[in-house]
Amino acid sequence: MIVRCQWPNHSVSFLTHTHAMKLQAACELPHTRRKYIPKFIPLILALTFVFTILPLYFPFSHNKFNSLTSLNVGSYQHLSPPKPNNPLPRHEKVHSWRRSHGHGGGGVAQELSTSPPPNLDTPANKTQVRKPEEGEIKSPGSDLIIAGGINSKSEEITSKRQRAGDSDIEVNMIRSNTSEGSKKCDLFTGEWVPNAEGPYYTNTTCDAIQEHQNCMKFGRPDTGFLKWRWKPDECELPIFDPYKFLELVRGKSLAFVGDSVARNHIQSLICLLSRVVRPVDVSKPTDENRLYEYTDYDFNISIISSPYLIRTQKTDPNDFTRPFNLFLDEFDETWTSKIPSFDYIIISAGHWFFRPTYFYLNRTLAGCLYCPEPNVTHLASSFSARWAFQTAFRAINAAVNFNGVTFLRTFAPSHFEGGPWDKGGDCVRTRPFKRNETALEDYSLEMYSIQLEELRTAQEAGRRTGRKFRLFDATKPMLLRADGHPSKYGHWPVANRIIPNDCVHWCLPGPIDAWNDFLQELLKREVGSKSKSFT
């Protein structure tokens, strides 16, 4: 090694390493002598920049870090993400979602003629069990964690409710029947608590249960899922009382409009009322929609199948599993023509919007979801869902001589775990989640948000038309009830055949019976508002 030291008047060379080191030290002036810097100092400075300075200018980085470091609790298996809202790649076949569908022979595939197999309705939920982290978003008016980074959306919904006043927007507030007297409470924010008295009917005492929701008949081994009731945080929710309910609805007409989950609800109501009286089915044998009368109380209930709430058309008249044409701006007169005859209407829809469909506006093809045509605009499921609720509410606001009340029963999430419905997804839990153990995400969150937003728009229009719109929030309570689905207990096993598990509908008896606890209280509120007092 040769080292040169340049002095003003001479240059010297040394050949040994020791002499070179000495000369190098001698050549450095005092004020330019190098200082030793530990190697870990630059690392500390870099980390300080990443976690303090960078988030000030890029806030998303902090949220991303939180999501990456969130804790999972319990022995929970992460789920596969749902199928994207974006269209399928054009080289894929549009009906690949049908590949596990079994036809005929019973099981979950046995629906009414216009209903799809229950677990074809929706992609798998991307639900995670975890502890809430700092900065996570909560759903409007509750402690339910909503993940997915939509803080502005949550704040927007909450502020909309506050701006609109408490009569129409704060529709989930009821007066308690407890010693709290006139205090209002949020009916839909709470927990599931043990209830040793349940259930209040069985599959042997009620004949209104459809086969694929008759979990006890088909051998579900556990019964613990029947021993829970919903407890709001700030008041008590009375258990459904058939005598009181029948007095509330004496002389009234109640309609359920929606998909097969709406039919699931009406069957629960019929079973609960069967402890007192059974209805007379006055429907035509060939009519898929049903009308039941309780003649002693001059009360009737209807179930009207309208899974999209708007006018639809089958692309194949003989195959309801094929894509539908949705006329997004046109009423479904199957139910809209009957609006004036109802006192109460419960609107619900959701799962069908994730199926392959073609969208029409003004009778012109505007786009599609999961269609193979390259020249058609590929749109998200949220596009058709928002249009459908707008059109349905517009029909109610436009109805002549309707003086009743419309309830929006919000989306009840499915609970496929371990994979999507067609790849072995199942729902095998035996007890409810606590609200800090799960989160509303992805498709369920988007559907829920759309429904709340369109409900508020309908309420604002209703102030001008004299129509009443109320919230029946099933989303927050039912998110916690992954234990309440039929799974494989909606049919007997079939040799050499795989039938998808049903994690969309609800066992009867089961958690969905609590929907009638809610309904009883909501109707009590309406009756009380007319008499200026609450019972």
Side-chain angles (χ1 to χ4, degrees):
M1 175 180 179
I2 299 177
V3 179
R4 293 186 178 274
C5 178
Q6 299 292 338
W7 294 96
N9 298 318
H10 62 275
S11 175
V12 183
S13 296
F14 294 93
L15 297 178
T16 67
H17 177 74
T18 302
H19 288 164
M21 295 298 293
K22 290 181 180 180
L23 179 61
Q24 181 179 3
C27 291
E28 292 178 348
L29 297 178
H31 66 280
T32 62
R33 185 177 299 274
R34 300 174 189 167
K35 295 182 180 180
Y36 172 73
I37 300 177
K39 293 182 179 181
F40 62 84
I41 295 298
L43 178 60
I44 293 176
L45 293 175
L47 291 175
T48 302
F49 174 78
V50 170
F51 292 107
T52 59
I53 305 302
L54 187 60
L56 295 177
Y57 296 94
F58 301 94
F60 67 84
S61 62
H62 178 69
N63 295 335
K64 188 68 174 177
F65 175 74
N66 280 346
S67 66
L68 290 174
T69 56
S70 60
L71 298 177
N72 293 316
V73 296
S75 57
Y76 187 85
Q77 181 178 2
H78 286 285
L79 307 182
S80 301
K83 296 175 182 177
N85 245 353
N86 297 326
L88 291 173
R90 291 172 181 169
H91 64 274
E92 289 190 27
K93 294 182 179 180
V94 65
H95 299 302
S96 60
W97 59 277
R98 299 175 56 209
R99 60 184 174 274
S100 297
H101 176 216
H103 295 272
V108 296
Q110 282 191 335
E111 285 280 2
L112 292 183
S113 60
T114 59
S115 299
N119 39 8
L120 300 184
D121 290 332
T122 182
N125 284 353
K126 188 181 178 182
T127 306
Q128 294 184 356
V129 181
R130 63 181 182 175
K131 294 181 179 179
E133 296 293 327
E134 182 180 357
E136 287 188 297
I137 300 99
K138 298 179 181 179
S139 68
S142 77
D143 290 330
L144 177 67
I145 301 167
I146 294 185
I150 60 157
N151 189 42
S152 60
K153 179 71 69 177
S154 178
E155 291 175 352
E156 177 187 359
I157 294 171
T158 303
S159 62
K160 284 178 180 179
R161 289 184 173 184
Q162 292 170 347
R163 288 196 304 270
D166 66 354
S167 60
D168 282 335
I169 298 300
E170 293 182 5
V171 288
N172 60 346
M173 303 298 286
I174 63 165
R175 295 191 185 275
S176 171
N177 277 348
T178 66
S179 59
E180 295 172 304
S182 63
K183 181 180 178 181
K184 288 186 177 182
C185 82
D186 180 355
L187 178 62
F188 304 110
T189 299
E191 294 275 11
W192 293 92
V193 298
N195 177 31
E197 296 180 0
Y200 298 94
Y201 63 91
T202 70
N203 62 323
T204 60
T205 63
C206 179
D207 58 6
I209 303 174
Q210 283 191 285
E211 288 289 273
H212 59 261
Q213 284 130 38
N214 197 341
C215 303
M216 296 296 101
K217 173 181 176 178
F218 293 108
R220 177 162 177 168
D222 61 302
T223 58
F225 73 101
L226 302 172
K227 301 292 185 178
W228 299 87
R229 66 178 178 88
W230 181 253
K231 170 65 175 68
D233 287 341
E234 299 175 352
C235 65
E236 290 293 330
L237 175 63
I239 296 294
F240 183 87
D241 184 324
Y243 293 99
K244 289 183 178 180
F245 183 87
L246 288 168
E247 289 302 326
L248 283 171
V249 297
R250 183 182 288 274
K252 304 296 184 182
S253 177
L254 170 63
F256 294 78
V257 180
D259 56 18
S260 53
V261 180
R263 187 174 64 249
N264 207 171
H265 184 185
I266 195 175
Q267 290 164 351
S268 167
L269 177 60
I270 291 173
C271 286
L272 288 167
L273 291 174
S274 67
R275 292 180 290 165
V276 174
V277 62
R278 296 178 184 271
V280 177
D281 186 349
V282 296
S283 316
K284 296 179 181 179
T286 57
D287 193 351
E288 62 176 333
N289 301 316
R290 314 306 294 173
L291 173 63
Y292 302 92
E293 290 186 350
Y294 292 82
T295 54
D296 291 344
Y297 294 87
D298 189 24
F299 166 59
N300 66 75
I301 53 178
S302 304
I303 175 64
I304 302 177
S305 177
S306 184
Y308 293 105
L309 302 177
I310 53 176
R311 188 171 86 84
T312 63
Q313 181 184 66
K314 298 176 183 177
T315 56
D316 183 343
N318 300 316
D319 187 355
F320 71 91
T321 65
R322 301 284 292 180
F324 276 65
N325 294 324
L326 306 187
F327 298 90
L328 301 176
D329 52 354
E330 298 186 36
F331 300 161
D332 179 1
E333 294 187 359
T334 305
W335 68 273
T336 59
S337 62
K338 302 175 182 177
I339 289 175
S341 66
F342 301 131
D343 295 288
Y344 302 109
I345 303 175
I346 300 177
I347 296 289
S348 60
H351 294 289
W352 279 60
F353 291 101
F354 305 111
R355 295 163 47 94
T357 39
Y358 294 90
F359 307 144
Y360 287 82
L361 290 170
N362 196 25
R363 301 290 177 94
T364 302
L365 183 62
C368 70
L369 175 68
Y370 301 135
C371 72
E373 292 85 354
N375 59 337
V376 178
T377 303
H378 291 245
L379 298 169
S381 60
S382 57
F383 177 81
S384 58
R386 188 176 295 280
W387 263 103
F389 282 101
Q390 287 178 1
T391 301
F393 289 142
R394 180 165 55 86
I396 295 170
N397 271 314
V400 178
N401 299 323
F402 175 58
N403 299 313
V405 180
T406 302
F407 296 96
L408 169 65
R409 197 267 296 156
T410 59
F411 183 72
S414 59
H415 293 92
F416 291 98
E417 300 187 36
W421 67 268
D422 58 346
K423 294 183 179 179
D426 204 353
C427 38
V428 297
R429 295 183 182 273
T430 57
R431 61 180 293 121
F433 287 123
K434 292 292 185 180
R435 73 181 113 181
N436 65 342
E437 292 177 335
T438 189
L440 190 65
E441 296 184 340
D442 299 325
Y443 292 88
S444 296
L445 173 59
E446 183 176 40
M447 182 64 65
Y448 181 51
S449 299
I450 288 172
Q451 291 177 338
L452 294 181
E453 292 163 7
E454 294 308 320
L455 175 63
R456 177 186 177 270
T457 301
Q459 289 175 332
E460 291 176 344
R463 291 190 182 89
R464 298 186 296 271
T465 62
R467 303 293 180 262
K468 299 176 183 178
F469 294 88
R470 307 286 190 246
L471 174 65
F472 183 156
D473 193 335
T475 306
K476 290 187 286 186
M478 302 312 285
L479 173 66
L480 309 181
R481 293 310 305 265
D483 59 321
H485 299 288
S487 180
K488 63 182 179 180
Y489 300 108
H491 55 85
W492 297 118
V494 179
N496 301 319
R497 181 178 168 202
I498 298 176
I499 301 176
N501 300 306
D502 184 357
C503 300
V504 174
H505 298 98
W506 304 91
C507 292
L508 291 177
I512 198 175
D513 293 325
W515 290 10
N516 295 303
D517 299 345
F518 292 133
L519 180 59
Q520 178 177 260
E521 285 298 310
L522 292 170
L523 294 182
K524 186 185 300 182
R525 180 191 182 197
E526 296 305 320
V527 172
S529 66
K530 294 178 181 178
S531 63
K532 303 301 181 182
S533 65
F534 288 82
T535 57

